[in-house]
Amino acid sequence: MYSNPKLPEGINTSKEHPLKEFSILLIGALALIVIVTFALGFFGSYLAGKIPYSAELKIASLYDPPDNNDSSKSEQALHAYLQQLADKIARAEHLPEAMKITVHYLDGDTVNAFATLGGNIILYRGLLEKLSTENALSMLLAHEIAHVKYRHPIKSLGRGVAAGIAIAAITGSTHSNALGETGLLTTLHYSRKMEQQSDEEAMRVLYKLYGHINGGAQLFKEFQKMREQQDLGESPALFSSHPLDQQRIDNFKRMATLNQWKTTGELTPLPDFFSIKKTEE
Amino acid sequence: MDQIIITLVLISLGYFFGRHAEKKHYRHIIEREELMNALPAMASRFPPVGEKFEQTLVSGNVVIANDYFKTFAAGLRNLFGGKVSSYETLLDRARREAVLRMKEEAQALQADYVFNVKYETTSISKGKNNRLPMIEVFAYGTALKKITP
């Protein structure tokens, strides 16, 4: 009269394997995170470009610029020369009056140079002693000054901050300091597009100053040589923010033919005190 | 990085142990349900007419916790919405286990039926973050034992 039927299994539960659902959800969530981070980074970069330069200077003043405290006489002369060359290039690039370029020379073996917030440009001895002409040095300075001109440091920071906030919101971590601990001291990451924009601006200025672009490509060749020596091999183009060295050299040649810039011409030697540092070692 | 590794380890541990425990539990439930089928549990509030019964309140209670893997999957589900299939088995097992325990109590009283069966479901971990979900299911009813004159 009264009975409980035996119910078939699987009425109240899903038969689907739990890992299948899990992997679909996980891929979806990761894709969402990537899209949100990229989108926020993009808008962060865009909005940061709208920050007035005076505000950027205030942000930059939060950090101490890296300077050698005990600079020798030869180093002071070198620094003055670099600063004067940078000012000349800044004028050639038509930098606004408020955008002051400050050159910092660091006595380090690192083969690197970078532009950062507030018009600060950091040059390492390691890179400078590899350059043999003023033309190559001008190319380097013009490249870094172009970063400042196009507001790349603040755009890069804006992108980093926005993406960092997105990641902190998703992972729920509250420890992250949005501006970072060493904002000015570390190299900001510029996109490949930014690097190319700066390369092209630097070439324009090189031509304007010297009437030819001879010697400009030495910079890229030095980077290429260094990487070959280190035997690290170049990382795949997709992951590298600096366009691959060979690509930069090719781009240099392409730009030259496109604009009919002279690729030969007299090279300007570097001043004598420039090499003093090297012989002292 | 450390956090990611810890999470991955917890997820895989949750998956393997949780799945093993669930399969074992289901086997146990199905086995006992077949045995307990002789004692019907009805939702009806009215006992069979024309007979006299001894009436006793019987109940069964169970608490089951979710494993880390399922909780993580349900958390991902929160982003997109939809059927939270990882919680379905948890509730299914809890309800069936609670009824079985109730029936076992009725059986010990030599009852013929359990009438007016009801469930209460409570989330023990309700509202607490960073805690694995835990549910309690309480099944209760009136055990009826025929009085032979």
Side-chain angles (χ1 to χ4, degrees):
Chain A
M1 202 162 74
Y2 292 97
S3 71
N4 283 160
K6 189 183 179 301
L7 294 173
E9 290 298 317
I11 287 181
N12 296 320
T13 54
S14 303
K15 281 197 189 77
E16 203 178 52
H17 198 278
L19 280 182
K20 190 186 162 197
E21 191 201 7
F22 181 75
S23 41
I24 291 171
L25 286 174
L26 194 65
I27 290 165
L30 289 177
L32 200 72
I33 291 169
V34 168
I35 290 167
V36 166
T37 310
F38 265 88
L40 269 177
F42 179 78
F43 285 114
S45 164
Y46 172 78
L47 288 176
K50 306 269 171 212
I51 293 173
Y53 192 74
S54 55
E56 184 183 322
L57 284 176
K58 266 183 212 160
I59 299 173
S61 68
L62 293 175
Y63 305 98
D64 293 325
D67 267 319
N68 288 338
N69 294 324
D70 49 344
S71 49
S72 63
K73 209 161 187 190
S74 65
E75 219 173 276
Q76 278 169 10
L78 175 64
H79 187 259
Y81 163 73
L82 290 171
Q83 183 65 52
Q84 159 267 320
L85 190 61
D87 289 341
K88 193 167 93 181
I89 292 164
R91 276 196 297 280
E93 286 192 19
H94 302 294
L95 247 65
E97 200 52 38
M99 269 193 202
K100 286 263 183 301
I101 299 295
T102 317
V103 176
H104 303 275
Y105 170 79
L106 286 189
D107 189 9
D109 289 325
T110 321
V111 184
N112 198 11
F114 57 91
T116 181
L117 294 174
N120 289 296
I121 289 172
I122 286 95
L123 302 166
Y124 282 95
R125 177 177 45 81
L127 178 58
L128 292 190
E129 61 188 20
K130 287 213 187 305
L131 304 176
S132 51
T133 63
E134 194 189 90
N135 304 61
L137 178 63
S138 295
M139 179 73 194
L140 170 68
L141 278 169
H143 173 92
E144 303 306 341
I145 291 168
H147 277 315
V148 177
K149 179 183 174 182
Y150 293 119
R151 311 293 309 278
H152 291 165
I154 191 85
K155 281 181 186 170
S156 163
L157 186 71
R159 187 182 56 193
V161 168
I165 289 171
I167 288 166
I170 291 163
T171 60
S173 94
T174 48
H175 313 292
S176 61
N177 173 4
L179 274 180
E181 301 291 342
T182 52
L184 190 71
L185 306 171
T186 49
T187 322
L188 291 162
H189 277 278
Y190 300 130
S191 68
R192 300 179 64 202
K193 222 169 128 191
M194 288 173 172
E195 294 296 349
Q196 197 170 339
Q197 194 184 20
S198 296
D199 274 353
E200 285 167 12
E201 175 76 16
M203 285 178 70
R204 264 192 292 278
V205 167
L206 201 64
Y207 180 72
K208 206 161 141 189
L209 290 177
Y210 298 95
H212 63 84
I213 55 162
N214 193 13
Q218 199 215 342
L219 180 65
F220 309 138
K221 284 176 188 153
E222 282 303 331
F223 278 126
Q224 194 178 31
K225 221 189 290 171
M226 182 191 75
R227 265 179 266 256
E228 272 164 15
Q229 272 168 9
Q230 285 177 341
D231 206 19
L232 281 171
E234 291 186 354
S235 49
L238 190 66
F239 302 109
S240 152
S241 76
H242 255 270
L244 295 179
D245 301 318
Q246 188 56 48
Q247 227 168 312
R248 289 178 91 180
I249 296 168
D250 293 345
N251 196 39
F252 190 91
K253 285 180 190 150
R254 195 178 51 80
M255 276 285 288
T257 34
L258 202 73
N259 295 294
Q260 296 180 320
W261 285 331
K262 256 172 67 187
T263 49
T264 51
E266 205 186 323
L267 293 170
T268 315
L270 288 163
D272 286 342
F273 57 79
F274 204 86
S275 53
I276 287 175
K277 198 71 200 165
K278 269 186 273 184
T279 47
E280 265 178 7
E281 304 283 309
Chain B
M1 196 63 213
D2 289 357
Q3 231 169 351
I4 294 172
I5 293 169
I6 291 171
T7 310
L8 282 177
V9 168
L10 284 175
I11 287 173
S12 27
L13 281 179
Y15 177 73
F16 288 110
F17 284 99
R19 207 165 155 74
H20 175 74
E22 186 174 292
K23 276 190 176 157
K24 203 171 132 191
H25 192 198
Y26 261 125
R27 268 203 305 276
H28 195 50
I29 287 174
I30 291 164
E31 210 173 89
R32 282 149 71 214
E33 271 178 348
E34 241 157 75
L35 286 174
M36 286 293 176
N37 228 5
L39 176 62
M42 310 307 292
S44 169
R45 285 167 60 203
F46 306 105
V49 241
E51 280 173 283
K52 288 207 163 168
F53 294 101
E54 207 181 294
Q55 304 179 15
T56 323
L57 176 74
V58 284
S59 62
N61 193 33
V62 68
V63 176
I64 298 190
N66 215 7
D67 60 63
Y68 200 89
F69 170 79
K70 285 183 169 176
T71 311
F72 193 85
L76 289 176
R77 211 9 126 194
N78 258 345
L79 278 175
F80 303 100
K83 191 177 70 180
V84 191
S85 58
S86 59
Y87 279 1
E88 285 172 346
T89 49
L90 180 79
L91 282 154
D92 187 48
R93 276 157 61 204
R95 298 232 159 97
R96 287 164 79 169
E97 179 69 37
V99 167
L100 279 170
R101 289 183 182 182
M102 180 193 74
K103 279 188 174 184
E104 274 158 16
E105 199 185 316
Q107 197 184 43
L109 296 169
Q110 291 166 325
D112 299 292
Y113 312 106
V114 184
F115 265 68
N116 201 9
V117 173
K118 287 180 175 133
Y119 295 99
E120 297 286 342
T121 308
T122 319
S123 167
I124 290 181
S125 55
K126 190 158 57 189
K128 289 196 182 84
N129 268 342
N130 305 322
R131 249 185 91 174
L132 289 183
M134 241 184 255
I135 55 156
E136 181 214 29
V137 171
F138 180 57
Y140 60 100
T142 309
L144 302 178
K145 186 188 173 191
K146 279 183 202 151
I147 301 170
T148 37

